[in-house]
Amino acid sequence: MVITFTTLLVLCVVFCNSSYGFSTTNNIIIRRPDRSIIQEDSYRDYCNGCNRPLPQCLCEHLPEEKIGLDTKVLVLQHPVEFRRKTISTVPLLTLVLDECRVLVGRSFDVELETIIHGACNEGRMPLLLFPGPNATVLEDSNAMEQLKSAHYNSSDTIAEFGPAKYLLIIVDGTWTQAKRMVRNSPVLLQKCNPIQFTGTKDVSIYDAIRKQPEIHCLSTLESCVRTLKLLEPTNVKTDEASKHLLDSLRSMIFTQLKYEETHLQKNPDLVRNSSKLKAKKERQKNILSTSFSRTEDNTGDDAILPDGYKLRPLLESDAEFVDSRWPYRSKKSLVMIRKQIVADNRNSTRTGFGSTCLGIEHRGRLVACIMRHTNGSIGILHVDEDHRRQRLGEMLLSSATKALQQNDVAAFAFILEGNTASESLFTKMGWEKMYSGKKGTGKRRAKRLWEFKAE
């Protein structure tokens, strides 16, 4: 029997077509994945409470039960923003507020009109948070009267429902996306009263992970918080909801920054524009120094800092500076310092009090530091040689001590016997040595326990 080359080719194709797990497309053999061998462990584990990856769980910042306000919130979210689930602030709104609904799309008509009509039947005033020349400024003294007048003159409903209640509609997207969504949803401007609030000098916390178009711009969550406070200024639940929302936002940002730092350390080749990355790091430091440390509330000592100096909490990227200044550093100390800084920032975010791991920078460069060890003691107080005799050490010790008092934690430290500079500083700041036994000499000098004695 003679088998030609053509016969062999036909046999091969027939065999491939009939074999399990193979298919042909344009004579190209493609192997189908055997889904039976895919293990569940290969997928990310998500928290059942907040629906976020377990390492990014926010449940400790959420209320036990969702908070109900007089104002209902409706978020119109652009599909592109919907896909940014890890860094989107909208899911946090639904986790905290009881009356919060999200619609995803590029334009809204029938469903949105039904929701607005239902709100009007409940006696609610539909408000669209969207700046413009015709928008009512909520900070104005007669803003509420203007809204009531506009609503009941343009609506078919009768004002027989007592105190005003609202349906707050927020558009989530970039400015370009938001303008297009409003333009493609004419019912918004036809049925809703546009509102806005005045600009703010405070930089958005969200700017640390996603640059805002202008310095006065806020994230969707921050805008919602500010609007709710203006609409319900006397409602105690509004303050409670605002605290949970902002705490969860800070935690989300801090976690995102930590993973971003870790990712860049593992993959340094991914950095394509070093100058842009440097500018981003500088922006993050400036934002976190005001948002996380709450310096003005917790220290009240900014006035004693010389010009050009700035107190801020230590960041994970500052660990190398702290480790290089510590005389007792070891091969494992850098990891320990980095973990402690991360834990301190997380605790500061959770409690709302100041940080105990602090640094002072001069013209953008870190020059002094102090931190709390894993055993709870204050240590690694250091000021670079060129920046001493300017009371920077006093500032660091005072701020760290106050943060410990706010957390209702005992303030103590261990100072090596004979370290007169540290002993003088701690004594001046109200600390006392608890025991003075045998001094020892050289490397055998004893570490003495010092405690802060509150007045």
Side-chain angles (χ1 to χ4, degrees):
M1 177 179 178
V2 179
I3 301 177
T4 64
F5 176 80
T6 305
T7 306
L8 283 174
L9 182 59
V10 172
L11 288 174
C12 288
V13 172
V14 172
F15 174 76
C16 291
N17 280 330
S18 61
S19 298
Y20 174 77
F22 288 85
S23 66
T24 60
T25 304
N26 295 330
N27 295 331
I28 300 176
I29 301 175
I30 303 174
R31 178 64 186 264
R32 294 195 189 103
D34 187 356
R35 299 187 181 275
S36 63
I37 64 173
I38 298 178
Q39 302 295 328
E40 292 184 359
D41 294 340
S42 62
Y43 296 96
R44 299 183 75 177
D45 293 326
Y46 282 77
C47 172
N48 294 327
C50 60
N51 298 320
R52 295 180 64 83
L54 287 180
Q56 302 176 19
C57 177
L58 300 175
C59 288
E60 62 177 330
H61 304 290
L62 303 177
E64 294 183 2
E65 294 184 0
K66 293 184 180 181
I67 301 173
L69 302 178
D70 292 334
T71 302
K72 287 186 176 182
V73 177
L74 174 64
V75 181
L76 306 180
Q77 190 175 34
H78 194 277
V80 174
E81 294 298 316
F82 176 74
R83 290 193 289 269
R84 301 178 186 268
K85 294 183 179 180
T86 306
I87 61 174
S88 174
T89 64
V90 172
L92 304 183
L93 293 172
T94 61
L95 291 172
V96 175
L97 301 178
D98 186 34
E99 297 285 355
C100 182
R101 184 175 177 182
V102 181
L103 298 181
V104 181
R106 290 181 169 83
S107 63
F108 307 89
D109 41 31
V110 178
E111 185 177 8
L112 177 59
E113 188 170 4
T114 302
I115 294 175
I116 294 176
H117 182 71
C120 291
N121 289 337
E122 295 176 359
R124 296 185 181 276
M125 190 185 308
L127 304 177
L128 173 63
L129 182 60
F130 197 79
N134 299 324
T136 302
V137 180
L138 294 179
E139 285 88 350
D140 290 349
S141 57
N142 60 342
M144 296 300 111
E145 286 73 13
Q146 293 178 15
L147 290 175
K148 289 179 182 178
S149 175
H151 174 63
Y152 292 122
N153 286 338
S154 61
S155 175
D156 296 333
T157 57
I158 302 175
E160 57 182 10
F161 299 94
K165 295 183 179 181
Y166 309 100
L167 170 65
L168 175 60
I169 301 177
I170 304 175
V171 183
D172 180 53
T174 64
W175 276 114
T176 302
Q177 293 168 350
K179 292 176 182 177
R180 194 170 296 158
M181 290 166 68
V182 172
R183 185 173 65 247
N184 295 337
S185 307
V187 67
L188 286 173
L189 296 179
Q190 292 173 2
K191 300 291 185 178
C192 303
N193 297 313
I195 59 172
Q196 64 181 0
F197 49 77
T198 56
T200 174
K201 295 181 180 179
D202 299 330
V203 180
S204 171
I205 308 172
Y206 194 60
D207 197 46
I209 59 175
R210 190 176 178 190
K211 186 171 176 58
Q212 301 296 312
E214 299 291 342
I215 191 171
H216 60 271
C217 294
L218 300 176
S219 65
T220 301
L221 182 146
E222 292 168 308
S223 299
C224 181
V225 167
R226 185 161 181 180
T227 306
L228 289 174
K229 285 186 175 182
L230 292 169
L231 292 176
E232 301 185 30
T234 59
N235 191 344
V236 178
K237 290 185 177 181
T238 305
D239 294 332
E240 182 185 355
S242 300
K243 182 180 184 306
H244 284 292
L245 286 170
L246 294 176
D247 285 349
S248 59
L249 176 62
R250 292 190 188 98
S251 180
M252 182 190 77
I253 291 172
F254 174 75
T255 304
Q256 191 67 25
L257 290 178
K258 184 184 75 170
Y259 277 92
E260 180 182 300
E261 185 75 21
T262 303
H263 182 67
L264 288 177
Q265 289 176 355
K266 292 181 179 179
N267 305 279
D269 297 337
L270 295 179
V271 180
R272 298 180 179 178
N273 191 329
S274 58
S275 60
K276 186 176 180 180
L277 178 62
K278 183 178 180 181
K280 180 180 180 181
K281 294 292 184 183
E282 186 65 25
R283 187 177 78 252
Q284 290 174 347
K285 283 186 178 182
N286 292 334
I287 294 171
L288 297 182
S289 64
T290 56
S291 301
F292 282 93
S293 65
R294 299 170 177 82
T295 302
E296 295 179 356
D297 296 335
N298 296 331
T299 66
D301 296 326
D302 269 344
I304 72 173
L305 279 175
D307 292 339
Y309 290 90
K310 187 176 184 179
L311 175 69
R312 64 170 177 82
L314 290 174
L315 304 177
E316 188 176 0
S317 56
D318 298 322
E320 292 184 3
F321 172 89
V322 179
D323 184 62
S324 65
R325 268 62 173 181
W326 193 29
Y328 303 103
R329 62 181 177 273
S330 64
K331 294 181 179 179
K332 299 181 180 180
S333 60
L334 179 60
V335 176
M336 180 273 293
I337 292 172
R338 183 176 287 118
K339 288 182 178 180
Q340 191 60 19
I341 291 175
V342 170
D344 180 72
N345 281 331
R346 184 182 294 113
N347 181 68
S348 175
T349 301
R350 179 178 59 83
T351 62
F353 298 132
S355 299
T356 53
C357 295
L358 298 165
I360 294 179
E361 62 179 33
H362 180 254
R363 307 193 189 285
R365 186 175 68 87
L366 199 62
V367 298
C369 63
I370 191 172
M371 65 175 293
R372 187 183 181 205
H373 290 290
T374 53
N375 64 0
S377 65
I378 291 293
I380 318 185
L381 174 57
H382 171 84
V383 180
D384 282 352
E385 187 73 31
D386 297 339
H387 300 272
R388 294 178 182 175
R389 301 184 183 280
Q390 301 191 67
R391 301 179 65 186
L392 302 186
E394 291 183 25
M395 164 64 80
L396 290 171
L397 182 57
S398 173
S399 301
T401 303
K402 288 180 180 179
L404 290 174
Q405 288 181 297
Q406 290 174 336
N407 283 279
D408 197 22
V409 176
F412 66 98
F414 294 97
I415 302 178
L416 200 64
E417 188 71 48
N419 187 347
T420 55
S422 293
E423 290 177 347
S424 299
L425 174 61
F426 275 71
T427 301
K428 180 180 179 180
M429 303 304 295
W431 291 62
E432 292 184 9
K433 185 191 292 187
M434 302 310 297
Y435 173 73
S436 56
K438 186 176 179 181
K439 294 183 178 180
T441 58
K443 294 183 178 180
R444 300 179 61 186
R445 287 184 299 169
K447 292 182 180 179
R448 302 302 184 193
L449 174 64
W450 287 64
E451 292 184 357
F452 178 74
K453 298 299 182 181
E455 297 180 358

